[in-house]
């Protein structure tokens, strides 16, 4: 990724008269089993945003902002390392971020890679749009993905940062359908249904699958940025 597409590497003079489109990765600091790093979601959001911005065809500058690293991860607080700021704080953070950034940016997209953030991100974007700001959100959702730290996320991390995958700790977790676990999850969080923190089977993960998943998702984000079709919930389609 060249500095030209990174907001953090710019100076204020670089941005005068540019009215850029800002892409903001949104992640979380939460357990991802004993084999993946706590910042897995943030890494995914950043990678997808960078891949998309590298290929987007936009008449104005598209820039990837520094990630919002923390999110709403209360369901993972049964594990050390998880740091959750909660939905209300995240919603306010996104809202005030948007109000500030759109004093000089013409469009703003939050690329969210943690499902627990979705409600807060969507609410904040809805408010920004109500206030007349051209903001949107985009979910880092992989087709047919298992729930957490399983085949899907481990494959993606094998592609992004293979040295960060602790191979000696890769083991299947709870592979029951997530629909059957919802009541217990709501009651006691992930720890109540998966002592290892894994919902899925990471033993089948491979880097080639992860790379293909990232490329597909980034391609969908690129197309969405170029078409700029925003639905009633503020989601970029």
């Amino acid at each position: 990724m060249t500095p030209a597409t990174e907001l953090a590497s710019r100076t204020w003079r670089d941005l005068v008269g540019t009215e850029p489109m800002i892409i903001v990765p949104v992640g979380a600091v939460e357990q991802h089993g004993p084999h993946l790093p706590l910042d897995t979601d943030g890494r995914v959001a950043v990678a997808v945003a960078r891949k998309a911005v590298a290929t987007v065809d936009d008449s104005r500058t598209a820039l990837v902002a520094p990630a919002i690293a923390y999110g709403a991860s209360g369901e993972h607080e049964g594990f050390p390392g998880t740091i959750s700021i909660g939905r209300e704080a995240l919603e306010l953070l996104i809202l005030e971020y948007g109000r500030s950034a759109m004093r000089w940016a013409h469009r703003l997209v939050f690329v969210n890679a943690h499902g627990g953030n979705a409600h807060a991100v969507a609410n904040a974007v809805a408010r920004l749009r109500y206030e007349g700001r051209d903001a949107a959100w985009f979910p880092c959702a992989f087709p047919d993905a298992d729930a957490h730290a399983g085949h899907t996320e481990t494959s993606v991390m094998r592609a992004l940062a293979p040295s960060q995958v602790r191979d000696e700790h890769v083991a299947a977790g709870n592979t029951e359908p997530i629909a059957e676990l919802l009541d217990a999850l709501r009651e006691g969080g992930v720890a109540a249904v998966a002592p290892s923190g894994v919902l899925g089977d990471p033993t089948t993960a491979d880097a080639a699958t992860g790379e293909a998943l990232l490329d597909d998702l980034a391609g969908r984000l690129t197309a969405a940025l170029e078409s700029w079709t925003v639905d009633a919930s503020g989601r970029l389609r």
Side-chain angles (χ1 to χ4, degrees):
M1 180 59 58
T2 64
T5 55
E6 297 285 317
L7 176 63
S9 68
R10 296 298 188 96
T11 71
W12 71 266
R13 287 185 183 274
D14 295 334
L15 300 173
V16 173
T18 63
E19 294 187 307
M21 174 168 60
I22 303 301
I23 319 301
V24 189
V26 184
V29 176
E30 64 180 36
Q31 73 84 20
H32 274 77
H35 64 291
L36 295 181
L38 296 167
D39 67 344
T40 290
D41 291 339
R43 290 174 187 255
V44 172
V46 169
V48 171
R50 285 176 169 170
K51 280 176 173 284
V53 166
T55 58
V56 71
D57 181 17
D58 189 81
S59 59
R60 296 169 173 149
T61 304
L63 298 172
V64 178
I68 296 174
Y70 296 92
S73 302
E75 70 274 22
H76 296 287
E77 286 185 316
F79 298 87
T82 297
I83 301 173
S84 174
I85 62 172
R87 289 183 179 179
E88 289 184 6
L90 179 61
E91 183 175 334
L92 182 60
L93 190 160
I94 297 290
L95 178 60
E96 294 299 338
Y97 187 115
R99 286 169 172 168
S100 180
M102 296 205 72
R103 291 173 65 88
W104 47 269
H106 89 289
R107 278 179 174 166
L108 184 64
V109 185
F110 295 95
V111 177
N112 176 43
H114 172 53
N117 295 341
H119 184 77
V121 172
N123 281 355
V125 167
R127 178 71 184 193
L128 290 169
R129 294 187 64 79
Y130 174 79
E131 294 175 351
R133 298 173 173 89
D134 202 3
W137 61 278
F138 181 88
C140 287
F142 298 107
D144 302 317
D146 46 7
H148 190 73
H151 173 82
T152 303
E153 287 188 309
T154 305
S155 292
V156 170
M157 284 300 293
R158 286 199 183 283
L160 283 180
S163 66
Q164 295 297 301
V165 180
R166 278 69 162 179
D167 290 322
E168 68 274 20
H169 297 306
V170 172
N174 191 332
T175 58
E176 293 182 55
I178 195 69
E180 296 179 11
L181 302 175
L182 284 178
D183 289 343
L185 277 169
R186 292 190 183 105
E187 180 71 22
V190 174
V193 298
S196 70
V198 177
L199 295 170
D201 186 359
T203 63
T204 58
D206 67 277
T209 296
E211 194 64 48
L213 288 169
L214 286 167
D215 286 345
D216 175 71
L217 185 55
R220 286 188 276 127
L221 176 55
T222 297
L225 292 172
E226 291 175 348
S227 66
W228 199 259
T229 302
V230 184
D231 70 14
S233 74
R235 178 174 173 172
L236 194 60
R237 295 290 182 176

